[in-house]
Amino acid sequence: MRKSALAVMVIGSLLASFGGQAQTAPQGYQLQQVLIMSRHNLRAPLANNGSVLEQSTPNKWPEWDVPGGQLTTKGGVLEVYMGHYMREWLAEQGMVTAGECPPSDAVYAYANSLQRTVATAQFFITGAFPGCDVPVHHQEKMGTMDPTFNPVITDSSAAFSQQAVKVMAEERQKMNLDDSYKLLEKIVDYQNSPSCKEKKVCSLSDDKDTFSAPFEKEPGVSGPLKIGNSLVDAFTLQYYEGFPLDQVAWGEIKTDQQWRVLSELKNGYQDSLFTSPEVARNVAAPLVKYIDKTLVTDANKAAKLTLLVGHDSNIASLLMALDFKPYQLHDQYERTPIGGKIVFQRWHDTRGNRELMKIDYVYQSSKQLRNADVLTLQAPPQRVTLELKGCPVDADGFCPVDKFNAVLNNAAK
């Protein structure tokens, strides 16, 4: 379904900087420092054979060429394109020199120690600085979660766990997902699934969700929301990977409206677990402290460009922990898209002698991901300017850096 010109204009004026418009800064503004908080790029579905996917449908799932959870070859290509675009943008702003490798202390890449996050960072660096010796830092032991990126409950008290479960359940109760469940049940033929025939669980909307928040574990949910998230995640990844449309959800998703309805389950799963303020502040605390150290406390010593690569749970909890205003991503069904990046930018206004912060969500649209579109300054990814409640932005999307610093310092306490 095509957006009307008026709708696009309204969204653009309120929330988004589209394409090339996002790359221009007011006269006399100089980009000083950038921190990119990225979600890993395209991976195979996390749920493997014998899992919730097989239990939820009589249909056969298509095969992937990498194990569940690992970055795909196409995911690497998409990240190279994003790295190439970011290099062009940084060169345009005078932060790097086109055709040259950056000084050893100018770029710092740090990823969670899983294959999909480390590989994403490596492919980004390959696209941004091809042939250059820019290492990707990570924990030595691969396959384990780095504490900086591990969105686990860090409060050991029973009272906090109970409160976390309560607010997650309340978040879920705000949502009406009945239409999403009905559409999903029809697409997967749930009535003929092993879950229905063998376990007598034949309706997703009639079942109940059970939330958990144990110390040193991720916030969790069991029940239909987890099942719905796994199924819609698998369909979304099939679409991005470029499976023929008659293989994406067995050809049963035919309209944008169906994608929107289904994506409410995936977004609802993330919102329930990671966007209540109490839970978000707790699980995002290590990442907030790292960003505060890089952009505020040790900003003068930090690299000009810092790349962090983690997960959608990191981005969702970070945005809530810092108290960003609600945002809308155009041309995307996901709220925290595959390969999407929160780009923190410290600018100096030479005319006004001011330090400013601008924060953009830079991401590939659903179609850019599926089509593997090459990204350049002339054919850019999508950009939406974000706003912190504690740091209101001006007409160009900038806020005073002292207010930004106060927000970050307060969140890092």
Side-chain angles (χ1 to χ4, degrees), residues 75 87 124 129 148 176 290 373 401:
R87 165 62 178 264
F124 179 93
F129 308 107
T148 300
N176 183 356
Y290 188 93
D373 291 343
V401 92

Side-chain angles (χ1 to χ4, degrees), residues 236-295:
T236 304
L237 296 171
Q238 290 170 0
Y239 180 81
Y240 291 162
E241 182 68 12
F243 280 82
L245 288 176
D246 62 356
Q247 290 182 30
V248 176
W250 310 284
E252 293 295 321
I253 305 177
K254 302 180 190 303
T255 67
D256 282 355
Q257 177 61 17
Q258 286 177 309
W259 276 116
R260 276 192 286 273
V261 170
L262 290 170
S263 293
E264 288 178 14
L265 292 171
K266 200 164 182 299
N267 293 330
Y269 173 85
Q270 190 181 83
D271 287 350
S272 296
L273 296 187
F274 295 107
T275 64
S276 58
E278 299 88 343
V279 174
R281 282 194 290 265
N282 185 268
V283 302
L287 183 59
V288 169
K289 286 175 182 171
Y290 188 93
I291 293 173
D292 178 60
K293 189 169 184 286
T294 305
L295 289 179

Side-chain angles (χ1 to χ4, degrees), residues 86-159:
M86 292 301 296
R87 165 62 178 264
E88 283 195 341
W89 175 69
L90 291 167
E92 185 184 53
Q93 306 306 328
M95 256 190 63
V96 300
T97 305
E100 293 183 10
C101 289
S104 59
D105 61 350
V107 179
Y108 188 81
Y110 173 31
N112 190 26
S113 41
L114 301 182
Q115 185 271 354
R116 61 184 175 274
T117 42
V118 172
T120 293
Q122 290 170 334
F123 280 113
F124 179 93
I125 293 298
T126 298
F129 308 107
C132 301
D133 185 17
V134 179
V136 172
H137 300 268
H138 59 85
Q139 282 189 154
E140 186 176 350
K141 189 176 181 184
M142 288 288 287
T144 59
M145 294 291 285
D146 184 315
T148 300
F149 298 100
N150 200 5
V152 297
I153 300 294
T154 56
D155 188 323
S156 61
S157 69

Side-chain angles (χ1 to χ4, degrees), residues 55-75:
Q55 290 295 309
S56 301
T57 181
N59 300 327
K60 182 174 171 52
W61 290 92
E63 295 291 327
W64 288 71
D65 60 2
V66 296
Q70 289 200 5
L71 195 77
T72 68
T73 302
K74 183 175 179 180

